[in-house]
């Protein structure tokens, strides 16, 4: 077994990936930016969670919904993975605690909304973190041609300046060719790189 498969078995209890997941993970671990177009229920989160667990450092996950962040962080914690999220409802002291754990502790995932990226506190602390990947969940939100464009997503590219060694893993279940091209443009991909799977669910 390769290291990604060992991690998959250790934390998720599966012994093999779906073909598209495997391709995405291989591309990510090779240092390439990657856009994964996978239908709902195809295990998109594994595409960035497994590579992040293969490498030293922390994965910053940009996610649009608090409920989605809360759910993924809870699932990771249940599996014994250290994960945190930042929400607007947190006090400065709570945010400080979370960010300190990301720099000095062994937190593996920090989930933030795109709006949080405007926080000066987060910006300064991110520069001190060893960021291994930048994961962009629901990546179609960054495109003005996406069905639920969210302007704050445009700030995601700032993380690339603050964590220049980290490559991007963008995932979404829905994107036309125009939207997929725009996602890669907005996220400053080092080269075009899309992996998609059939939307016909078996």
């Amino acid at each position: 077994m390769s290291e990604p498969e060992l991690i998959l078995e250790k934390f998720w209890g599966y012994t093999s990936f779906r073909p598209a997941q495997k391709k995405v993970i291989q591309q990510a671990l090779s240092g390439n930016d990657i856009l994964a177009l996978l239908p709902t229920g195809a295990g998109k989160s594994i595409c960035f969670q497994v590579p992040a667990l293969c490498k030293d450092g922390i994965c910053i996950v940009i996610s649009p919904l608090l409920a989605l962040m809360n759910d993924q962080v809870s699932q990771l914690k249940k599996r014994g993975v250290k994960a945190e999220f930042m929400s607007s409802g947190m006090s400065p002291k709570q945010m400080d605690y979370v960010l300190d754990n990301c720099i000095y502790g062994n937190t593996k995932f920090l989930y933030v909304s795109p709006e949080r990226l405007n926080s000066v506190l987060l910006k300064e602390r991110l520069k001190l973190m060893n960021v291994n990947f930048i994961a962009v969940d629901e990546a179609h939100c960054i495109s003005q041609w996406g069905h639920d464009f969210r302007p704050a997503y445009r700030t995601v590219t700032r993380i690339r300046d603050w964590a220049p060694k980290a490559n991007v893993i963008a995932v979404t279940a829905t994107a036309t060719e125009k939207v997929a091209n725009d996602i890669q443009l907005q996220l400053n991909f080092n080269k075009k790189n899309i992996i998609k799977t059939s939307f016909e669910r078996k």
Side-chain angles (χ1 to χ4, degrees):
M1 277 191 189
S2 67
E3 189 182 0
E5 284 163 334
L6 289 170
I7 282 171
L8 183 72
E9 186 174 29
K10 179 181 176 183
F11 293 106
W12 282 270
Y14 302 119
T15 54
S16 63
F17 294 101
R18 293 169 181 171
Q21 289 175 328
K22 190 165 187 173
K23 285 181 191 172
V24 173
I25 290 163
Q26 286 170 340
Q27 286 289 314
L29 290 172
S30 296
N32 297 315
D33 295 332
I34 177 77
L35 169 59
L37 301 181
L38 306 176
T40 301
K44 291 189 294 297
S45 56
I46 276 178
C47 291
F48 57 80
Q49 289 171 347
V50 169
L53 289 166
C54 287
K55 291 179 72 174
D56 288 337
I58 185 169
C59 177
I60 308 298
V61 185
I62 317 301
S63 184
L65 299 170
L66 184 59
L68 198 64
M69 287 194 268
N70 204 355
D71 181 57
Q72 288 200 17
V73 168
S74 296
Q75 290 296 325
L76 285 165
K77 284 182 173 176
K78 279 179 191 172
R79 292 185 168 97
V81 177
K82 293 205 171 185
E84 299 284 356
F85 70 92
M86 282 180 68
S87 73
S88 54
M90 294 167 74
S91 69
K93 189 175 180 181
Q94 286 172 314
M95 288 186 194
D96 213 36
Y97 175 78
V98 165
L99 291 170
D100 270 357
N101 275 341
C102 293
I103 299 166
Y104 307 110
N106 52 358
T107 300
K108 287 299 297 181
F109 296 90
L110 173 63
Y111 281 72
V112 296
S113 70
E115 287 78 11
R116 282 285 100 204
L117 299 177
N118 290 316
S119 157
V120 175
L121 177 66
L122 178 60
K123 176 185 171 181
E124 293 310 313
R125 297 297 181 84
L126 268 172
K127 291 176 182 176
L128 301 173
M129 293 178 202
N130 175 23
V131 181
N132 56 22
F133 290 103
I134 300 159
V136 184
D137 207 356
E138 306 296 334
H140 61 273
C141 293
I142 202 171
S143 175
Q144 61 184 329
W145 295 294
H147 62 82
D148 46 0
F149 173 53
R150 191 153 157 181
Y153 259 73
R154 292 290 174 94
T155 59
V156 173
T157 47
R158 292 181 190 172
I159 298 191
R160 302 213 75 165
D161 296 329
W162 308 334
K165 292 178 183 174
N167 51 304
V168 169
I169 306 169
V171 297
T172 183
T174 170
T176 61
E177 186 179 351
K178 189 177 186 180
V179 169
N181 287 333
D182 194 38
I183 290 168
Q184 294 172 89
L185 184 69
Q186 297 301 332
L187 291 172
N188 290 337
F189 268 36
N190 44 34
K191 64 179 180 182
K192 281 192 173 186
N193 197 9
I194 303 176
I195 289 174
K196 58 184 174 181
T197 190
S198 168
F199 278 64
E200 199 176 298
R201 291 186 59 191
K202 294 179 181 175

